[in-house]
Amino acid sequence: MKRVFIFCIAIMLFAIYALDARAGNPDIEFTVKINKDGFHDSTGRPIASPFHVKKGQSVRLTFHFDEKTAEVLRDMMRSAQEQQGFVHAFALHSGKEIVAETQELSFKHRQTTLDFIAGDKGATSYKIYCTMMCFGMEHLTNLTIEVG
Ligand SMILES: [Cu+2]
């Protein structure tokens, strides 16, 4: 009986460890809500100033789809060629190159993340922008992360 108990504890600890390793807890995390008016913080306020991170920190950006459902549904009822306005995907650019890209963010896929190490390859700042021809693309170009 005791042996079974210890075995169960071992399995549990292993599961917790495995989950944690997969999540790969970053040093710093930012939440960004996305809609056609631009980048917003977790309270829904427009993000006006750069995020600041330290060199060497592991950073995670989590993007949440924050478009109005009624508008998205109206767009979905258009013919297939016309609709695409409410799909976003984000690139992280170091000034020299694209460092990372997200999966598509949409009505059906409402959350996506982007992980990177701040200051890798000498980068001192990053720009984040939407790579899709979307509604509001002119407002989804200006999110900045500064290192240091
Ligand atoms: Cu977009």
Side-chain angles (χ1 to χ4, degrees), residues 20-21 23-31 52-62 114-120 145 147:
D20 196 48
N25 294 331
D27 296 323
I28 187 161
E29 276 187 272
F30 298 104
T31 296
H52 290 274
V53 297
K54 294 200 176 71
K55 189 171 162 59
Q57 275 185 321
S58 58
V59 184
R60 176 170 297 156
L61 294 160
T62 302
L114 200 158
D115 289 341
F116 67 102
I117 304 295
D120 217 14
I145 298 181
V147 183

Side-chain angles (χ1 to χ4, degrees), residues 87-89 130 132 134 140:
V87 178
H88 309 286
C130 185
M132 308 290 281
C134 62
L140 291 166

Side-chain angles (χ1 to χ4, degrees), residues 34 67 85-90 129-137 140:
I34 302 301
E67 305 283 10
F86 292 112
V87 178
H88 309 286
F90 298 94
Y129 54 91
C130 185
T131 58
M132 308 290 281
M133 297 280 283
C134 62
F135 295 144
M137 55 191 289
L140 291 166

